[in-house]
Amino acid sequence: MKFGGTSVEDAAAITRAAKIVESRLAEKPIVVVSAMAKVTDQLVACAGAAGAGDRDQALCIARKLRERHYTAASELLGTGVFTQFHSELEAEFDALDELLRGVAAVGELTPRTTDNILSFGERISSQLCTAAFSARGMNATLVDARQCIITDDRHTRATPLFPVINDALADIMQPLLERGRVPVMGGFIGATKDGTPTTIGRGGSDFSAAIVGAGIAATRIEIWTDVDGMKTTDPNLCPDAKRIKVISFEEAAELAYFGAKVLHPATLLPAIQKNIPVQVLNSRNPQNEGTRIVARAPACKSAFKAIAAKKRITIVDVVATRMLGAHGFLKAIFDIFDKHRCAVDVVSTSEVSVSLTVDSNEAIPAIAADLGKLADVKYEGRKAIVCLVGENLRGTSGIAAKVFSTIADVNVRMISQGASEINITFVIEEDDVPRVVQRLHQAFFSELDPAVFD
Ligand code: ASP
Ligand code: MG
């Protein structure tokens, strides 16, 4: 059971999380927690200030963090327990201050020290949750992520070493579960084999949960967040957007890439590969079933699962008559994007032209200058990618015609249907997003298969 930042953001949230864990005790849960909401951002700011030599600013942010955690702890724990726990917390925050003073003194921040500073968020939230759960009578035991999630030393985006981790999980988690304990571990952080703290990338607590779930062969992974799972589209655009009860990993991945928020399912890969279902749930509304992400989507009568839109896209058109019959042209173009480390999202080509979309604006003038040596180049911003996703597209005829006739009066700049055959993706003017999404949602999501949507 993984609880994200907003699900442990204060005493009230931690109490809600505790009740949710209590409702699952018979299933022998392991709990993975994020830092309290916004804490990692504040630690990043702290580290930055210290690295820039601004010791006072760094210590000032650290002091606010300290106070916020003390407030939550005093609300959660009775006076007696709080006094005892207070000194534990104090030791952690003193160590953080010490570290920040050191960084400020040398005025240099290494990735290794950054990880050490960032690790405090999850270290402290996991200690706080363990204390709070215990105070309610749960058999909670703190597990130090640095002893389980062993990684390489690529600081700030370390790679987990799965065989070592799985051995550590078997040694540490299994005996606790057998003794009826509830292990509580911080997400996002790990350590190298020699114990140096590492982090596995921002938003990494979902990944931690998947690593643990896969490692101990859990029957289920629950990702507790603050919304009722994934929706058919952005409810701000379409208030009648429905909850998706079940979605395949591949569908969820396409959606996350093209703008749906909730969570990035790539982080769930270790679990999906072992065929462990993942449930996205709302800690503010735990009765709701949320969304299940599974390896293979069950049969569904509706054509699509969801529509996502991604704004702030730029189209780059490359036209070269020389390309006629030539080879190596696409390679030359992509080499230029590669050189500028710019990711390309959607591509369509004809014999003499290539259109691509990118979502970074800064690199474009330099890229266009390089491309200009090969061909005629034009680029245009303020575009949006709209992506319709559904496994049922595979082998169904007539769907694309229906999609584009629904928006016949809209200027569609590029169209692409992925090789996976689970999406129809096209590019439009940014200003057209609301009416396009609303019309498609109306056309394709009015009568939905109740087995899959709610
Ligand atoms: N606290 C970390 C972050 O904000 C990890 C997470 O919450 O998933 O990136
Ligand atoms: Mg997150």
Side-chain angles (χ1 to χ4, degrees):
M1 303 176 72
K2 178 260 173 173
F3 292 89
T6 54
S7 299
V8 293
E9 67 186 349
D10 54 19
I14 292 174
T15 303
R16 281 195 296 270
K19 288 184 181 153
I20 293 167
V21 175
E22 282 161 359
S23 72
R24 305 282 203 268
L25 288 178
E27 294 181 90
K28 294 182 177 284
I30 293 177
V31 176
V32 173
V33 292
S34 286
M36 290 168 108
K38 301 265 161 24
V39 166
T40 309
D41 290 337
Q42 281 152 3
L43 288 168
V44 168
C46 236
D54 192 344
R55 177 177 156 222
D56 292 347
Q57 171 68 4
L59 292 177
C60 170
I61 303 172
R63 163 135 297 275
K64 289 198 192 114
L65 286 175
R66 188 191 285 247
E67 277 159 14
R68 177 168 165 205
H69 286 85
Y70 285 174
T71 305
S74 70
E75 282 172 44
L76 285 162
L77 313 169
T79 332
V81 186
F82 177 61
T83 321
Q84 185 198 332
F85 184 64
H86 185 269
S87 54
E88 266 176 58
L89 269 192
E90 190 133 79
E92 290 286 1
F93 280 107
D94 288 349
L96 175 61
D97 285 354
E98 187 80 7
L99 196 56
L100 293 170
R101 281 195 201 94
V103 173
V106 289
E108 191 199 322
L109 180 67
T110 61
R112 177 183 161 120
T113 311
T114 302
D115 272 353
N116 198 351
I117 294 171
L118 296 196
S119 74
F120 279 87
E122 270 76 6
R123 276 157 68 174
I124 293 166
S125 69
S126 57
Q127 289 180 35
L128 181 53
C129 287
T130 309
F133 290 5
S134 305
R136 298 172 56 90
M138 226 188 291
N139 291 322
T141 300
L142 179 70
V143 170
D144 189 339
R146 292 166 295 177
Q147 287 172 359
C148 294
I149 309 298
I150 309 304
T151 70
D152 67 7
D153 63 357
R154 268 211 329 171
H155 284 285
T156 72
R157 52 202 159 99
T159 303
L161 304 175
F162 285 96
V164 192
I165 290 174
N166 291 344
D167 287 347
L169 290 171
D171 287 349
I172 295 171
M173 296 291 187
Q174 294 295 7
L176 288 174
L177 293 176
E178 275 155 28
R179 280 173 29 223
R181 310 294 306 182
V182 179
V184 180
M185 188 187 92
F188 177 53
I189 63 177
T192 59
K193 277 183 188 155
D194 62 13
T196 310
T198 53
T199 60
I200 57 176
R202 290 303 306 272
S205 294
D206 294 332
F207 193 23
S208 302
I211 294 168
V212 173
I216 60 145
T219 46
R220 180 169 83 248
I221 294 178
E222 296 183 346
I223 304 289
W224 289 88
T225 171
D226 57 2
V227 288
D228 291 339
M230 302 177 87
K231 294 257 173 153
T232 49
T233 195
D234 179 355
N236 295 316
L237 278 183
C238 302
D240 62 338
K242 299 287 189 305
R243 175 171 61 90
I244 307 169
K245 293 198 226 171
V246 51
I247 192 165
S248 75
F249 174 74
E250 246 185 294
E251 291 170 328
E254 293 280 3
L255 284 175
Y257 192 58
F258 289 118
K261 284 167 198 88
V262 190
L263 94 167
H264 205 296
T267 58
L268 305 176
L269 204 57
I272 299 293
Q273 281 167 338
K274 291 213 171 164
N275 211 0
I276 300 172
V278 176
Q279 192 99 26
V280 181
L281 295 155
N282 186 355
S283 66
R284 292 175 198 277
N285 184 19
Q287 302 318 325
N288 190 282
E289 292 165 20
T291 299
R292 258 162 81 84
I293 303 176
V294 296
R296 211 155 288 121
C300 169
K301 292 196 197 79
S302 309
F304 296 113
K305 291 281 168 48
I307 316 179
K310 187 176 176 185
K311 293 196 192 174
R312 281 179 285 282
I313 295 295
T314 299
I315 289 191
V316 183
D317 290 315
V318 187
V319 182
T321 32
R322 269 177 292 152
M323 191 171 154
L324 205 64
H327 67 87
F329 192 70
L330 283 176
K331 176 174 187 307
I333 290 175
F334 280 103
D335 281 348
I336 290 169
F337 283 92
D338 186 48
K339 179 182 141 199
H340 293 274
R341 299 181 154 276
C342 179
V344 171
D345 284 333
V346 182
V347 184
S348 61
T349 70
S350 76
E351 190 54 37
V352 294
S353 72
V354 185
S355 298
L356 320 116
T357 69
V358 297
D359 62 5
S360 77
N361 292 321
E362 307 93 64
I364 298 203
I367 292 173
D370 277 354
L371 289 170
K373 293 172 198 155
L374 302 175
D376 294 333
V377 185
K378 278 187 308 193
Y379 60 91
E380 235 181 286
R382 295 186 51 81
K383 302 287 175 279
I385 298 176
V386 176
C387 176
L388 283 141
V389 171
E391 300 257 14
N392 270 6
L393 284 178
R394 281 201 179 110
T396 313
S397 39
I399 300 256
K402 210 172 149 201
V403 166
F404 292 110
S405 62
T406 307
I407 52 165
D409 57 333
V410 173
N411 182 19
V412 176
R413 291 289 305 269
M414 284 171 69
I415 298 177
S416 127
Q417 180 164 3
S420 59
E421 277 190 80
I422 65 162
N423 67 53
I424 294 178
T425 301
F426 55 91
V427 180
I428 57 173
E429 297 296 326
E430 206 172 75
D431 293 341
D432 286 332
V433 166
R435 68 180 175 120
V436 164
V437 170
Q438 280 155 2
R439 235 191 275 160
L440 289 170
H441 197 265
Q442 168 79 32
F444 290 96
F445 294 85
S446 292
E447 281 160 43
L448 290 169
D449 184 343
V452 174
F453 301 92
D454 182 33

